[in-house]
């Protein structure tokens, strides 16, 4: 039993990202309201962002900024990477956040256009009105 | 100048998009000229790149900003990416050339939005072809996707409603890819594609669960993006309800570039040895592709809307390539790569022809082909070249890609895939001969009165659509006539990655 608990707890960041991802996927598939669907899409993307960010973390490490780095010069070999969180996944996720925001923005703009056309944002009602055309 | 060519190919449409959107505020009618000039510059740079690569053994790298990989982003130009790049820029040039005539009829006054979006899309597509960095590819994929969402949604009628599902599916696909890259990064600590391959080989990581999961996520992500059959739901609606100007650009290029990237991942990052270990995957993928080809062809046959019909043909063609790349032998991979190029021009020709037909008749029902040989002989003849190529009639390029794919499938013992390819050719023949029958034997009016052929008014498609359509149909034949040279070129790449 304790093995299972250790297995879960030692990888809790992965469990959380998978749960969040499934919540997003559920919303995208099961919700009928398009705004809810797209918020689900945003949760889905955020889950992946959290996954990346959590991979850069090290226990007991600090933010990857060198104090007075320019004074050290080429003595960079003295820096122990274990003392600093891995900045690369975090930097990548800055781009992914921008992508996510842009996607959500485009999606909601399209929802607005659909609402202007069909006066509803519920999927079944849109499909019904499309069937009538 | 010449060492910066890999950057110029991407910078030309990007800069064009910026200028077009700024100039478009004041003078929307200049947008077309700006788009054409920047795409012509991109096409010239791509051809120059092809010439330059032909002088090297296996291509060369370009470092963005001079940063050495794996820290900096690297562009990798080899025979494959140079070839695909020329195809992309050429098809984009032709598709955008037709946009003016289509936009005047469909979306007057929206030029200043459409042209910058199209140019951004071409930027993303060329970037995806060249980039040697897995995360950079994700960003370019999203640039492409976001501009295509906007291009679909800008249309009238059902366009916006069909765009909603496209956004959801597209985002899931891209997110799967991002997640797969994350798994690879966890294991290897690198994002550079060549570096990834070397680390995975050096560390003997091909058996690792993390790498396998990453590979599956990336593959499935691109299956969604390329619209492989059970995951194709977004494709027909999005492409058929999009404005014609947009679908002429998107339908030939989006799926092909996804296929290319998937192939690049399989051959250049994961290596054929890795795939050979897991024989079950190839069997599964070939089965899915077989189903995709059969289902796509059958659904296409049942359509009466011209653009819907063409969209389902695209779904079937994606099955060709998704199956062909998993044959994992020399003929199969060569056929797949040749088909990427051939299918881009074929699809472009058919969509241009369809938009010409719709522009002159105003209807998108297949019945509007009636009497087309008399009303629009030139437009119809050019459209038919694309159709014959889809069937696989020599000397069009469609024949040669099918030849190699079937050869590869026989060598690999994938008989169900051979059967599906032949079945799809037969269905394509049925579809296009039905159209020929409508066009040649049935007149607009006086269907029964054969003795007095009615005076039919000439009603050709506008010149703006006809010129790119003619060029595309000539390219289809030329690509077929010069296929030995193209095949030689592709085999140079196939041999360099060690496919036997």
């Amino acid at each position: 039993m304790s093995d299972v608990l250790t297995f879960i707890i030692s990888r809790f960041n992965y469990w959380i990202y998978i749960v969040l991802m499934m919540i997003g996927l559920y919303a995208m598939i099961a919700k009928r309201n398009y705004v809810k669907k797209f918020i689900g899409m945003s949760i889905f993307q955020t889950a992946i962002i959290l996954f990346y960010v959590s991979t850069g973390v090290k226990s007991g490490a600090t933010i990857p900024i060198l104090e007075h780095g320019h004074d050290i010069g080429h003595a960079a070999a003295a820096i122990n990477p274990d003392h600093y969180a891995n900045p690369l996944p975090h930097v990548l996720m800055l781009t992914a956040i921008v992508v996510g925001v842009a996607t959500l923005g485009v999606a909601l703009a399209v929802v607005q256009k659909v609402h202007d056309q069909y006066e509803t944002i519920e999927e079944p009602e849109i499909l019904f009105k499309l069937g009538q055309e | 100048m010449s060492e910066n060519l890999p950057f110029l190919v991407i910078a030309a449409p990007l800069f064009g998009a910026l200028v077009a959107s700024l100039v478009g505020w004041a003078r929307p009618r200049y947008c077309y000229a700006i788009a054409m000039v920047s795409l012509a510059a991109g096409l010239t740079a791509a051809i120059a790149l092809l010439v330059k690569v032909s002088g090297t053994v296996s291509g060369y790298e370009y470092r963005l900003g001079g940063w050495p990989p794996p820290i900096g982003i690297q562009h990798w130009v080899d025979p494959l990416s140079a070839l695909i790049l020329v195809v992309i820029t050429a098809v984009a040039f032709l598709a955008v050339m037709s946009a003016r005539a289509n936009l005047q009829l469909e979306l007057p006054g929206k030029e200043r939005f459409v042209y910058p979006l199209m140019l951004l899309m071409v930027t993303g597509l060329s970037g995806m072809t060249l980039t040697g960095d897995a995360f950079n590819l994700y960003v370019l994929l999203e640039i492409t996707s976001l501009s295509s969402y906007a291009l679909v949604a800008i249309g009238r009628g059902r366009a916006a409603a069909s765009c909603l599902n496209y956004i959801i599916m597209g985002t899931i696909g891209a997110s799967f890819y991002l997640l797969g890259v994350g798994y690879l990064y966890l294991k290897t600590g690198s994002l550079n594609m060549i570096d990834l391959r070397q680390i995975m080989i050096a560390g003997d990581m091909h058996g690792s669960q993390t790498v396998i999961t990453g590979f599956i996520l990336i593959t499935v992500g691109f299956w969604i993006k390329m619209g492989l059959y059970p995951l194709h739901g977004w494709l027909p609606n999005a492409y058929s309800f999009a404005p014609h100007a947009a679908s002429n650009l998107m339908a030939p290029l989006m799926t092909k570039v996804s296929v290319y990237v998937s192939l690049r991942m399989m051959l250049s990052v994961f290596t054929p040895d890795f795939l050979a270990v897991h024989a079950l995957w190839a069997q599964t993928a070939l089965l899915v592709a077989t189903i995709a080809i059969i289902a796509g062809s059958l659904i296409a046959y049942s359509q009466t809307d011209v653009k819907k019909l063409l969209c389902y043909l695209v779904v079937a063609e994606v099955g060709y390539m998704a199956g062909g790349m998993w044959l994992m032998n020399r003929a199969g991979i060569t056929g797949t790569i040749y088909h990427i190029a051939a299918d881009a021009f074929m699809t472009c020709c058919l969509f241009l022809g369809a938009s010409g037909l719709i522009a002159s008749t105003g209807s998108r029902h297949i019945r509007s082909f009636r009497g087309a040989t008399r009303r629009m002989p030139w437009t119809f003849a050019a459209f038919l070249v694309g159709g014959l190529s889809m069937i696989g009639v020599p000397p069009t390029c469609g024949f040669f890609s099918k030849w190699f794919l079937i050869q590869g499938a026989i060598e690999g013992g994938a008989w169900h895939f051979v059967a599906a390819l032949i079945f799809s050719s037969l269905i394509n023949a049925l579809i296009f001969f039905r159209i020929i029958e409508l066009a040649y034997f049935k007149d607009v009016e006086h269907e029964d009165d054969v003795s007095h052929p009615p005076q039919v008014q000439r009603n050709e498609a506008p010149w703006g659509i006809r010129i790119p359509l003619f060029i595309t149909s000539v390219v289809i034949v030329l690509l077929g006539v010069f296929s030995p040279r193209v095949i030689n070129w592709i085999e140079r790449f196939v041999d360099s990655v060690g496919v036997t």
Side-chain angles (χ1 to χ4, degrees), chain B residues 254-293:
Chain B
M254 288 286 286
T255 51
K256 306 308 166 291
V257 173
S258 303
V259 170
Y260 160 79
V261 174
S262 192
L263 191 69
R264 169 68 74 193
M265 281 283 162
M266 281 165 67
L267 295 180
S268 298
V269 178
F270 288 96
T271 70
D273 297 339
F274 168 68
L275 302 169
V277 176
H278 306 274
L280 187 67
W281 293 352
Q283 287 167 16
T284 316
L286 274 170
L287 194 66
V288 173
T290 306
I291 297 169
I293 295 172

Side-chain angles (χ1 to χ4, degrees), chain B residues 19-68:
Chain B
V19 174
S21 58
L22 286 176
V23 173
W25 281 105
R27 298 269 185 280
R29 63 205 154 93
Y30 293 148
C31 284
Y32 179 68
I34 294 166
M36 290 311 289
V37 167
S38 56
L39 284 174
L43 178 60
T44 317
I47 291 171
L49 209 54
L50 191 75
V51 173
K52 198 175 170 191
V53 171
S54 70
T56 62
V57 180
S58 63
Y60 67 99
E61 63 166 5
Y62 174 74
R63 293 170 178 181
L64 281 174
W67 291 89

Side-chain angles (χ1 to χ4, degrees), chain B residues 114-394:
Chain B
V114 174
Y115 289 117
L117 283 171
M118 283 176 145
L119 290 174
L120 278 179
M121 197 175 142
V122 178
T123 310
L125 290 170
S126 340
M128 277 164 77
T129 317
L130 280 178
T131 188
D133 185 275
F135 187 79
N136 193 229
L137 201 152
Y138 167 74
V139 177
L140 290 161
L141 179 68
E142 285 292 23
I143 289 175
T144 316
S145 306
L146 282 170
S147 41
S148 71
Y149 302 150
L151 277 174
V152 171
I154 209 169
R156 294 182 194 284
R158 295 178 64 165
S162 58
C163 185
L164 293 171
N165 281 329
Y166 181 28
I167 296 177
I168 290 179
M169 289 302 282
T171 307
I172 294 179
S175 300
F176 272 13
Y177 172 75
L178 181 62
L179 197 56
V181 170
Y183 275 65
L184 293 185
Y185 175 72
L186 273 187
K187 194 69 189 171
T188 61
S190 177
L191 289 165
N192 183 287
M193 289 184 186
I194 295 167
D195 205 32
L196 273 173
R197 179 181 65 196
Q198 284 162 354
I199 292 174
M200 280 196 286
I201 292 174
D204 197 19
M205 293 175 188
H206 280 168
S208 152
Q209 296 287 337
T210 319
V211 170
I212 292 173
T213 315
F215 175 75
I216 292 176
L217 283 169
I218 289 173
T219 306
V220 173
F222 276 109
W223 278 4
I224 298 175
K225 276 284 175 193
M226 69 175 86
L228 190 63
Y229 171 64
L231 308 168
H232 73 295
W234 55 271
L235 190 149
N237 278 337
Y239 286 2
S240 61
F241 295 119
H244 304 309
S247 61
N248 287 350
L249 179 66
M250 283 158 56
L253 292 181
M254 288 286 286
T255 51
K256 306 308 166 291
V257 173
S258 303
V259 170
Y260 160 79
V261 174
S262 192
L263 191 69
R264 169 68 74 193
M265 281 283 162
M266 281 165 67
L267 295 180
S268 298
V269 178
F270 288 96
T271 70
D273 297 339
F274 168 68
L275 302 169
V277 176
H278 306 274
L280 187 67
W281 293 352
Q283 287 167 16
T284 316
L286 274 170
L287 194 66
V288 173
T290 306
I291 297 169
I293 295 172
I294 294 173
S297 306
L298 284 177
I299 303 173
Y301 184 64
S302 69
Q303 297 299 317
T304 51
D305 180 320
V306 179
K307 274 185 93 181
K308 268 266 172 73
L309 189 156
L310 296 180
C311 287
Y312 279 106
L313 281 182
V314 170
V315 171
E317 298 287 315
V318 167
Y320 285 30
M321 290 175 276
M325 69 171 86
W326 279 96
L327 290 170
M328 276 300 146
N329 53 35
R330 199 158 177 262
I333 300 284
T334 310
T336 306
I337 296 170
Y338 185 75
H339 198 69
I340 295 176
D343 196 40
F345 284 107
M346 271 147 57
T347 318
C348 184
C349 179
L350 290 173
F351 272 81
L352 283 172
S355 69
L357 179 87
I358 295 164
S360 60
T361 62
S363 155
R364 44 198 292 169
H365 196 279
I366 198 165
R367 272 200 306 267
S368 54
F369 273 113
R370 278 186 182 183
T373 45
R374 261 158 273 182
R375 280 187 293 114
M376 41 171 102
W378 292 104
T379 314
F380 186 72
F383 174 82
L384 207 58
V385 173
L388 292 176
S389 184
M390 275 281 177
I391 301 171
V393 179

Side-chain angles (χ1 to χ4, degrees), chain A residues 17 21 28 34 37-38 41 44-45 48 51-52 55 86 88 92 95 99 102-103 107 110 113-114 117 130 133, chain B residues 135 138-139 142 146 153-155 157-158 160-161 164-165 167-168 171 175-176 178-179 181-183 185-186 191:
Chain A
Y17 110 77
M21 222 172 131
M28 274 191 275
Y34 268 108
K37 270 180 189 281
F38 286 126
M41 185 182 87
F44 188 83
Q45 287 179 312
I48 296 173
F51 158 72
Y52 264 87
T55 60
N86 184 357
L88 185 64
L92 296 179
T95 318
V99 168
T103 316
V110 177
K113 192 176 177 190
V114 169
Q117 259 182 322
L130 286 177
E133 277 180 4
Chain B
F135 187 79
Y138 167 74
V139 177
E142 285 292 23
L146 282 170
I154 209 169
R158 295 178 64 165
L164 293 171
N165 281 329
I167 296 177
I168 290 179
T171 307
S175 300
F176 272 13
L178 181 62
L179 197 56
V181 170
Y183 275 65
Y185 175 72
L186 273 187
L191 289 165

Side-chain angles (χ1 to χ4, degrees), chain A:
Chain A
M1 184 62 194
S2 67
D3 286 352
V4 177
L5 274 180
T6 340
F7 179 75
I8 293 174
I9 290 167
S10 66
R11 292 168 176 79
F12 78 99
N13 54 331
Y14 300 130
W15 290 104
I16 288 173
Y17 110 77
I18 286 172
V19 167
L20 276 175
M21 222 172 131
M22 290 307 118
I23 293 172
L25 202 60
Y26 168 78
M28 274 191 275
I29 294 167
K31 291 291 171 194
R32 292 172 162 196
N33 183 312
Y34 268 108
V35 172
K36 287 183 183 169
K37 270 180 189 281
F38 286 126
I39 297 302
M41 185 182 87
S42 196
I43 294 172
F44 188 83
Q45 287 179 312
T46 312
I48 296 173
I49 292 172
L50 286 177
F51 158 72
Y52 264 87
V53 169
S54 72
T55 60
V57 175
K58 294 165 190 164
S59 61
T62 179
I63 46 169
I65 297 174
L66 292 182
E67 273 184 76
H68 310 294
H70 51 278
D71 297 339
I72 302 173
H74 285 286
I79 297 163
N80 186 352
D82 286 345
H83 295 161
Y84 299 98
N86 184 357
L88 185 64
H90 300 188
V91 175
L92 296 179
M93 284 311 107
L94 283 180
T95 318
I97 290 167
V98 173
V99 168
V101 169
T103 316
L104 188 64
V106 170
L108 293 178
V110 177
V111 170
Q112 199 178 18
K113 192 176 177 190
V114 169
H115 184 260
D116 288 347
Q117 259 182 322
Y118 301 102
E119 289 171 346
T120 174
I121 49 170
E122 300 284 327
E123 192 182 19
E125 291 175 25
I126 293 172
L127 291 176
F128 178 72
K129 290 194 176 179
L130 286 177
Q132 282 183 325
E133 277 180 4

